[in-house]
Amino acid sequence: SGMNKPLVTRLSMAIASLAVQMGWDTCLSDITNNVLSPHPELGPAVLELFRSIPEEADSSRLILPREEDLYPYRDMLRNSAHVVLGLCEHAVQSTMNSGGGSGGGGSANNSNNNNCDVATTEAVLSCLQSWIRIVDMDPVLLERTLLLPWVFDLLSDSVKGGFELAVDVVVELLRTYPSDRRGVEGLVRAMIPRVMALGDDNINTGQLSPFQKSINEEDEDGMRGYTRIFTEMSESYLSLILSHEEMNQASLVEFVLRCSNI
């Protein structure tokens, strides 16, 4: 529960640190099979633990006989990225299937579901950000995961739970996988239209973009979040903006200028 979150965080850091120091290279599958399977209600806590593991493997606090001992462990994390993405996908699908956050019903039960959904959403986003930032995951995995459209759905409205963390995830994706990096072409193609849709009004329906809506409503959180994404994209995808290939670069430059005017 939310009341226990600080305790869960500290326990996760302790277990993650122990896993790294012991070279417990089957920890992801062991915890999934022996903890999460019999106790699915521990999903947010397991995600918090999985978030902590890359951070501990990347930490300078650990005292190890040889730093080289960490290299195989970091390789294991890279090779196990699909396990963590799969767990995150399962958590998101379970949240959607539960019907939580869809409105309807005013019962205490529904309220508990909504709280659980917010906790799960935030746990997935935090775990995802940690793995994107620290573990050099294969961009093809990120290009194909259903987590990508889910994160951008959270960005469609700044009032939605997890908006700030979703902004962090997209900023991290743009920063970690810039357009001049090899092998990211598919991920870049998946990112561009989704980012642009946050700023482009829908001509066919007359619907305002989330960015323009936040400007009209003087929604500071929304404006700040979309501004972070557009400016990060303009830096990370600079090689595309300066290329001769027409990719609607003018619109992105226009978004950045509008951000500067706010």
Side-chain angles (χ1 to χ4, degrees), residues 236-256:
S236 295
Y237 290 0
L238 190 60
S239 64
L240 290 181
I241 293 173
L242 298 177
S243 73
H244 297 297
E245 185 182 352
E246 174 53 44
M247 299 183 70
N248 201 21
Q249 294 98 321
S251 289
L252 178 56
V253 175
E254 182 196 339
F255 293 159
V256 175

Side-chain angles (χ1 to χ4, degrees), residues 8-9 11-13 15-16 19 24 26-36 42-57 73 77 80-88 123-124 126-132 134-135:
V8 169
T9 299
L11 283 171
S12 295
M13 290 173 64
I15 296 170
W24 180 14
T26 58
C27 61
L28 299 176
S29 57
D30 289 348
I31 291 166
T32 301
N33 297 332
N34 300 323
V35 178
L36 189 58
L42 294 177
V46 170
L47 285 165
E48 176 65 21
L49 171 57
F50 284 5
R51 178 195 69 80
S52 300
I53 289 173
E55 295 185 352
E56 292 303 319
Y73 200 85
L77 293 180
S80 303
H82 64 283
V83 175
V84 174
L85 289 177
L87 177 63
C88 290
V124 169
S126 295
C127 182
L128 190 56
Q129 185 195 8
S130 174
W131 279 72
I132 291 169
I134 299 169
V135 182

Side-chain angles (χ1 to χ4, degrees), residues 80-127:
S80 303
H82 64 283
V83 175
V84 174
L85 289 177
L87 177 63
C88 290
E89 288 175 345
H90 179 72
V92 168
Q93 286 173 322
S94 299
T95 298
M96 290 174 174
N97 293 338
S98 71
S102 58
S107 67
N109 247 357
N110 193 62
S111 174
N112 288 338
N113 278 343
N114 287 343
N115 290 337
C116 178
D117 290 342
V118 170
T120 302
T121 295
E122 291 182 348
V124 169
L125 291 169
S126 295
C127 182

Side-chain angles (χ1 to χ4, degrees), residues 12 105 108 111 117-118 137 141 152 158 162 203-204 235 261:
S12 295
S111 174
D117 290 342
V118 170
M137 291 193 285
L141 289 176
F152 277 94
S158 65
I203 299 173
N204 297 326
E235 290 182 27
N261 287 332

Side-chain angles (χ1 to χ4, degrees), residues 18-260:
L18 183 67
V20 175
Q21 293 199 51
M22 290 177 59
W24 180 14
D25 54 9
T26 58
C27 61
L28 299 176
S29 57
D30 289 348
I31 291 166
T32 301
N33 297 332
N34 300 323
V35 178
L36 189 58
S37 293
H39 301 286
E41 70 278 7
L42 294 177
V46 170
L47 285 165
E48 176 65 21
L49 171 57
F50 284 5
R51 178 195 69 80
S52 300
I53 289 173
E55 295 185 352
E56 292 303 319
D58 195 52
S59 171
S60 57
R61 294 192 306 270
L62 291 183
I63 301 173
L64 297 170
R66 298 181 310 159
E67 190 178 342
E68 303 88 75
D69 294 343
L70 275 178
Y71 299 159
Y73 200 85
R74 290 170 180 165
D75 287 340
M76 179 278 291
L77 293 180
R78 192 172 300 113
N79 295 330
S80 303
H82 64 283
V83 175
V84 174
L85 289 177
L87 177 63
C88 290
E89 288 175 345
H90 179 72
V92 168
Q93 286 173 322
S94 299
T95 298
M96 290 174 174
N97 293 338
S98 71
S102 58
S107 67
N109 247 357
N110 193 62
S111 174
N112 288 338
N113 278 343
N114 287 343
N115 290 337
C116 178
D117 290 342
V118 170
T120 302
T121 295
E122 291 182 348
V124 169
L125 291 169
S126 295
C127 182
L128 190 56
Q129 185 195 8
S130 174
W131 279 72
I132 291 169
R133 181 171 61 86
I134 299 169
V135 182
D136 189 21
M137 291 193 285
D138 183 349
V140 175
L141 289 176
L142 295 165
E143 166 197 343
R144 295 175 178 172
T145 177
L146 63 79
L147 295 170
L148 196 61
W150 172 74
V151 168
F152 277 94
D153 181 59
L154 293 175
L155 290 172
S156 64
D157 187 344
S158 65
V159 180
K160 283 188 177 181
F163 175 80
E164 294 283 349
L165 283 170
V167 171
D168 291 339
V169 167
V170 170
V171 166
E172 210 64 66
L173 270 171
L174 292 165
R175 187 174 294 160
T176 305
Y177 300 95
S179 59
D180 57 0
R181 176 173 165 171
R182 290 185 62 182
V184 301
E185 295 81 8
L187 179 58
V188 168
R189 281 195 299 270
M191 292 286 289
I192 288 175
R194 290 187 166 96
V195 173
M196 300 305 280
L198 297 175
D200 274 330
D201 298 334
N202 191 317
I203 299 173
N204 297 326
T205 64
Q207 188 175 5
L208 293 177
S209 68
F211 179 42
Q212 187 58 53
K213 191 166 173 281
S214 70
I215 294 173
N216 292 357
E217 296 174 359
E218 297 184 359
D219 168 16
E220 288 192 22
D221 290 338
M223 287 189 285
R224 188 178 295 111
Y226 299 128
T227 294
R228 284 184 62 206
I229 291 172
F230 296 142
T231 52
E232 190 66 46
M233 184 175 173
S234 67
E235 290 182 27
S236 295
Y237 290 0
L238 190 60
S239 64
L240 290 181
I241 293 173
L242 298 177
S243 73
H244 297 297
E245 185 182 352
E246 174 53 44
M247 299 183 70
N248 201 21
Q249 294 98 321
S251 289
L252 178 56
V253 175
E254 182 196 339
F255 293 159
V256 175
L257 291 174
R258 282 164 66 192
C259 292
S260 302

